[in-house]
Amino acid sequence: MAVPLVDLKAQYQTIKSDIDAAVARIFAQTSFILGAEVQAFEEAMADYCNVDHAIGVSSGTAALQLGLMACDIGPGDEVITTPLTFIATAAAISHVGARPVFCDVDPQTYNLDPAAIEAAITAIISPRTRAILPVHLYGQPVDMDPILDIAARHGLRVIEDACQAIGATCQGHKAGSMGDLGCFSFYPSKNLGGAGDGGMVVTNDPDLAARIRLYRDHGRTDHYGHGCVGFTYRLDALQAAVLGVKLPHIDAWNDARRAHASTYNAALAACDVITPVEMEGCRHVYHCYVVRIANGGAEARDALMQALRAQGIGASIHYPQTVHRQPAYAGLGLGPGSFPVAEACAETVLSLPIYPEMTADQREEVVDALNHCLQTHDIAPAAC
Ligand SMILES: Cc1ncc(COP(=O)(O)O)c(C=O)c1O
């Protein structure tokens, strides 16, 4: 039996008639851009995230870029963020002409470490620092209170990258609802995934919301009236209709992910891999189920991944290289050792298959394959 990393077909089968009806409705209306479908989904998302405003945009990257622009962050400004993330987090900062300033992560949660920010504060905070951009990586919420506290003390904005964390909570607060702005991606494999690209910004600030609405649609104040220079960054009606069908299922789907994660944790407890932890008071939504190999570096991890793939297990790496070591950011001049924890994580993390529709047999298949690969390869001596 092959177990893929994610299985979007399995999810489609569970909601096929509702999705097909929503798609047929959009084609019957032939109203494809913004409109009532997008507005209805925005209202549902605002309600779900317990915020006043939600603005549908064309991707998670667009959400981050417009969020930064709405906060007047631009050329010459600096934004503190994590080097252990998908490149889009930093790219959005670069898109507005600002500079990402990286800070190291917590080795247990893989998220921006508030203590590391405090320790490096005099080095990283300058008169140009305008915001902190924490990422709720893999679906694990960032420890937000200390981040919000640092931001308040230094007059900084907080923009949450909640692209991987819809439905996650920190002390009862939904990911995306704690900072000035929260940004989501609806990339198809996300916990709430569209039938193409899509994104959303959520906020309680009406001025920020109004600016983002303008920016996403050519700065349009009426059909051919343009109050500012904007973009074609709108969420389309087809995506809104599909996502509107899926949103009512998100809590059950996240619960299923959590159940798979806890079964994996128990099955892998005796094995030489480090299983994910859930921060106290938080609800992790396991966009990725990420283990770290306990012995060996990137070579051993890569060998384990290849061995699992040879057994039909869709293992993957999120992410094999930290952002500051990507060629795209070579200009920052941040060499190896700049952020040792993030770099060690990038060398040793391994994502195992996880998706709501996964069966108990599939989970067992993954655990057995991992056990077999660890025993038969010189990767990590102890068996599961
Ligand atoms: C942490 C993170 N930030 C930003 C993005 C960008 O989202 P999108 O691909 O929708 O532009 C993603 C999605 O891949 C992500 O995982």
Side-chain angles (χ1 to χ4, degrees):
M1 186 199 339
V3 187
L5 185 68
V6 292
D7 188 348
L8 300 183
K9 285 183 186 150
Q11 184 181 78
Y12 174 52
Q13 288 311 319
T14 68
I15 50 172
K16 184 175 184 315
S17 57
D18 290 345
I19 294 284
D20 292 356
V23 171
R25 186 175 72 240
I26 298 302
F27 275 89
Q29 291 165 356
T30 58
S31 170
F32 294 114
I33 302 294
L34 293 176
E37 292 283 344
V38 172
Q39 195 182 332
F41 178 59
E42 287 175 340
E43 285 166 9
M45 269 293 285
D47 198 42
Y48 182 75
C49 294
N50 300 318
V51 295
D52 293 339
H53 309 277
I55 307 102
V57 295
S58 52
S59 68
T61 312
L64 290 163
Q65 182 186 341
L66 297 190
L68 289 156
M69 281 181 70
C71 292
D72 281 324
I73 294 167
D77 293 334
E78 294 177 357
V79 177
I80 296 168
T81 194
T82 166
L84 189 66
T85 180
F86 181 55
I87 193 162
T89 310
I93 297 169
S94 303
H95 288 325
V96 301
R99 194 169 76 96
V101 173
F102 299 111
C103 201
D104 217 343
V105 300
D106 178 296
Q108 282 205 304
T109 64
Y110 307 119
N111 280 331
L112 212 47
D113 181 0
I117 301 181
E118 281 289 6
I121 207 107
T122 48
I124 60 172
I125 291 213
S126 80
R128 293 175 171 175
T129 310
R130 301 294 311 285
I132 305 178
L133 207 169
V135 179
H136 305 293
L137 195 70
Y138 308 142
Q140 165 99 277
V142 175
D143 187 8
M144 285 299 289
D145 279 347
I147 301 254
L148 293 169
D149 181 57
I150 294 168
R153 279 190 278 120
H154 295 274
L156 307 177
R157 293 284 201 175
V158 175
I159 299 171
E160 292 173 65
D161 182 337
C163 286
Q164 301 188 358
I166 186 160
T169 60
C170 178
Q171 315 302 338
H173 302 289
K174 286 261 167 69
S177 72
M178 293 170 276
D180 294 282
L181 295 157
C183 300
F184 294 94
S185 165
F186 303 126
Y187 185 80
S189 59
K190 292 288 192 271
N191 290 25
L192 182 66
D197 282 312
M200 182 78 65
V201 188
V202 299
T203 182
N204 284 312
D205 184 324
D207 297 329
L208 293 178
R211 293 186 71 179
I212 293 164
R213 277 186 200 286
L214 270 186
Y215 288 139
R216 76 168 170 183
D217 188 24
H218 297 295
R220 209 183 292 267
T221 46
D222 58 48
H223 195 65
Y224 285 119
H226 305 278
C228 66
V229 178
F231 303 87
T232 315
Y233 282 179
R234 301 167 297 225
L235 182 67
D236 67 62
L238 203 54
Q239 299 311 326
V242 166
L243 292 162
V245 168
K246 290 186 168 195
L247 184 59
H249 297 279
I250 191 67
D251 285 340
W253 287 341
N254 282 342
D255 283 345
R257 287 174 181 273
R258 290 172 54 75
H260 296 321
S262 91
T263 310
Y264 268 150
N265 286 348
L268 302 178
C271 162
D272 250 10
V273 294
I274 300 161
T275 53
V277 296
E278 180 175 55
M279 231 180 59
E280 214 184 309
C282 287
R283 179 180 147 85
H284 192 323
V285 293
Y286 296 96
H287 172 56
C288 301
Y289 181 86
V290 176
V291 297
R292 286 177 72 188
I293 62 156
N295 301 317
E299 247 174 60
R301 183 271 314 272
D302 293 350
L304 177 59
M305 180 176 72
Q306 293 310 336
L308 283 168
R309 286 183 175 179
Q311 304 239 326
I313 306 300
S316 190
I317 302 168
H318 299 93
Y319 296 92
Q321 189 56 279
T322 53
V323 177
H324 68 282
R325 304 281 314 282
Q326 289 284 356
Y329 282 103
L332 293 177
L334 296 165
S338 300
F339 305 101
V341 181
E343 289 166 36
C345 292
E347 286 180 2
T348 51
V349 290
L350 184 69
S351 302
L352 300 179
I354 194 160
Y355 46 92
E357 300 76 18
M358 204 175 176
T359 64
D361 284 351
Q362 288 174 317
R363 255 183 353 230
E364 254 174 57
E365 182 90 7
V366 175
V367 172
D368 289 350
L370 187 62
N371 191 10
H372 174 79
C373 292
L374 288 172
Q375 280 178 334
T376 53
H377 289 73
D378 261 353
I379 295 164
C384 303

